[in-house]
Each structure stands twice: as C-alpha cells, then as structure tokens.
Amino acid sequence: MNALLSVSDKTGIVELAQALHAQGIKLLSTGGTAKLLAEKGLPVTEVADMTGFPEMLDGRVKTLHPRVHGGLLARRDVPAHMAALAEHQIDTIDVLVVNLYPFEATVAKPGCTLEDAIENIDIGGPAMVRSAAKNWKDVAVLTDASQYAGVIAELKSAGKVSDKTKFALSVSAFNRISQYDGAISDYLSAVQVGDDVPAGDAAPVLSRFAAQFNAQFTKVQDMRYGENPHQQASFYRSASPALGALSTGVQLQGKELSYNNIADADAAWECVKSFDTGAAGDLSQSAACVIVKHANPCGVAVGATALEAYSKAFQTDPTSAFGGIIAFNCTVDGAAAQIVAKQFVEVLMAPAFTQEALDVFKAKANVRLLRIALPENRADILNAGRNSLEFKRVSGGLLVQEADNHILHLSDLKVVTTVQPTPEQLQDLLFAWTVAKYVKSNAIVFCKGGMTMGVGAGQMSRLDSARIASIKAGHANLSLAGTVVASDAFFPFRDGLDVVVDAGATCVIQPGGSMRDDEVIAAANERGVAMVFSGVRHFRH
C-alpha cells in the first residue's frame, strides 16, 4: 500500500505518517511535507522521484502527473485499469492526505493583495482530492487533521479502512473542495475592476456584495418538523461560527430543539447580547434577561442580578411568558433558577449555569438548557457571533442585506423638543430603542427603570401597536405613567404620538425623517413631552 501526504497545515501529520509506516504503508510526499517527515527519520519518497519529473513553476506543478492521478483513479476491480498501471509501471495510491493552500486565511488578512490571493489558490491539491474522492472504494482521502485518529484506529484494528469510513471521507473531501472553490469565487467576484485589474502591493477594493454568492453550511441535526408538523426541517451551522453565536451553544439537558425553538432562541439571544457594553443602560445593571414568544420580545429588563432582571422581565407580560424562550447575558445562579423553574419554559440560555442552578433544573427534565460561551471582554460581547449579512429566500431568488448591527449612543441622540429628557430618561430611551430593534414592525415599546412596560409588535398600523402595548401593560397591572416609548420608525402623523402620550409616556424616541416631522414636534411641545430623534430606523420583518 502507498500513501501520498502533501499538506499545508502540518498539524498531526508526523504522527499520522508514523502510524502509516508502522502498518507497512510506503510514504510518498512533496516539498515541505517530505522534508519534515525525513527530518523525523521516516522513509519517504519524493513525488518528483516517483514521477521522474521535477517540481516546476515555483511549485505550481508537482503532482499533476499520470503517475499520481493514475495511482489514485485506477479501479482495483477493473482488470483493464490494473493492466494499464502495470504497463506503465504505476503503483496504486491507497491513502491520500491533503489539505489545501490557506486561501481563506490569506484573503482574511488586512491588506491582502490580489497577487497574494491568486498565489494561494491550490490547483494540484484539489485535483488529487477529487481523484481520490471519486475512487473512494479504493482510496481513503483525508482532508483534515481531525480525521487522522479514526483512520489510524481502523488500520490498527482491522488492517484497512472500512468502506463506510472511506465513503464518509469522500463526502467530506467533496464538501471541502466545494467550500474552497466557493471562497475563491466569493472573493474574486467581489474584486472591483475598473479600467485595469488591481495589481501591485495595494489591496483591491472589494464589493460588499459579490457578483456570485456561495453559501456553505453543515447540517447539525434534523428537526422533528418545521414551523408546522407537515413541514420537514433541519438545522445547519456555518463553516466557522464565531464565539457567542447561537450555533455554538451546548445543550446541557432537555428535549431536542425544534425549528421554532431555534428561531425564537436566536431572537432572544441576539437581543440579550445587546445589553453588555453600556450602549443601553447603566453598566451597574450588568444582568439582562429577555423573554421571547413567537420571535418577539415580550419582556426585557436589566438588573443587578439574574434574579432581578428575570423578575422585572417576567412582570411585563406574564401571560405571554408562558412557554417562552428565556435568555440571560450572565451566569444563572440558584436563586434565579428557582424562580424561573416555577414557570413553563421551553428554552433557557445563558453563558453559564452554577451547579446549584443545574440541580434545580434536574427536576425539569424537559426544559432545554443551552450554554453559549461569550467573550471574556465585555466590550466584545455586543458583536459576539453576530452575522454580518442576512438572507431571505424569495420565489426563485435570495435577498441579501447587511445585518442591522447599528449601535445607538447618547451622543447620537438629537433632542428636538423644548422639554429636555432627564439623565434617567436618556438611559431608558437607549434601553427602549435597543428592545425595539428586536421587535417585529411596526414596533412600539414602553419602558421605565430598565424594564419593558408594554410591547406592541407586528401590526399593520403603528397606532394599533401602540394600543396593544397599552392593553398588555394594563393586563399586567403596570402603569405607563412616566414611561419612555420607542417607535422603530417615524410617526407619519401626530396621532401616533398622541396615542402613546395618552397612555402615559412622557419621553419619546423615534428615527425622525417624516415629511410631517415639524407637525409631530409641535404636538410633542404642545403635550409637554420630550422627544429625541435617533436618525436611524429599525424595521424588522
């Protein structure tokens, strides 16, 4: 048996080569890999010696040879193939170990030039991988160091690699080639070309939206069903999810997550992460809790502890919180767990749980607990795991946009009324605005003291959203007197402002930008309330 090893990433390659050698497998290799193996005392034959043809063109051509691809592609069960190998004195290659030039890492570096990118496009590697993967029954193809241990174990125990493993390795190999080619296509399709193609030491200008979009996701699990029982569904993870992304979560207990669980959990998790940098509220109120039902926050609050934050968030709308999805931005301790466990909860997410909290939920075996790690630096939490682009399928196509990751600061606010907001109101305005960002449009959010007091979501009329928020506050026995209110888009007429002021709001935040801004500002002055413009809109459909 022969194994060809040619890797850019040398992780684990020496140990793998030693294991292959111990099984009596002859080692073939190229360039730096061959040199490393020889330095470790392993008998290795250079591919150039095997092919009788030297590497050329600065290494661009070294494995593109019939002795390599013949050895990979020949079917051992076809006599004519084996006769052809014998006629041309070509040995079979039974194990191929290849990882590709680091194209993705290269183009991710600041200042990467087009020339650097082009030189890190692998040609021979993908060609060999495709040959081996096509001939999977006869060749085991390894494209990642994580696969080495399993192959070594099979060789030691059975003296060969099983067909099941070889087929799985083949699928992984084709997936890797697809990812690699997709990354190259994405990058080159984004290069802005004027009269001349970018050259030299300057990094090319890249379009935010490439001419071709190649999405790559790996299935994590099948769902029992989708939004409804007659719909099938699966959950996929992006190739390299960042720390803090929902897809990196570890389920500690509970039933399998459903399609709706994951969709609602994402809404809750993205919202709760927004309360970790001081962009919304006082950092002394370091704990935040978000309760989501059907993709909308129905209760959000900050507090000194997880228990305080949850208690305030639950107060907003106890009815809707039943069977909700709950997210914390802080460790859930025993005190918070004991109160949360009294309610029916579908999913509970946090960066960490104390042992006492875990013990509390052992009695609630169906509650799905998710631990999602966050960066240690609080300043990095807001954008942890956030997507830079958002996608929406339409009939026969795909809408792609930048994600709404805008952060509003106090310095961004423009007071447009005679009445000025108090420092306390300014903090609540930022809090309300942050919550409104995650509420389906049209969104109206009343807040006071770092908690939501009434949430109106998803109505065709902004007036109806305001009325619903007021009704929900009444059902929860919460007074809206002295609250601040956030509207995710401008008030086109003064009637929207009148409704929220009639409900008790004394301070309003909205984007501004209506043709009737002057009329709405005059109405606010007439009603004696403060109003600030954010300058940005937060539609969420």
Side-chain angles (χ1 to χ4, degrees), residues 99-104 117-123 125-126 173-186 216:
N99 53 59
L100 310 176
Y101 290 177
F103 179 84
E104 296 99 328
I118 295 295
E119 288 306 313
N120 277 279
I121 296 175
D122 203 332
I123 303 300
F174 279 119
N175 288 343
R176 175 60 186 133
I177 296 301
S178 174
Q179 293 167 359
Y180 194 72
D181 287 344
I184 295 169
S185 172
D186 284 344
Q216 299 288 343

Side-chain angles (χ1 to χ4, degrees), residues 235 244-250 262-263 265-266 269-270 273 349 370 372 385:
F235 177 43
L246 176 71
S247 64
T248 66
V250 177
I262 291 175
D266 187 58
W269 187 241
E270 290 303 299
K273 287 190 298 184
M349 295 169 286
L370 282 182
I372 309 175

Side-chain angles (χ1 to χ4, degrees), residues 108-128:
K109 295 176 182 177
C112 173
T113 65
L114 182 58
E115 182 177 353
D116 288 338
I118 295 295
E119 288 306 313
N120 277 279
I121 296 175
D122 203 332
I123 303 300
M128 288 192 293

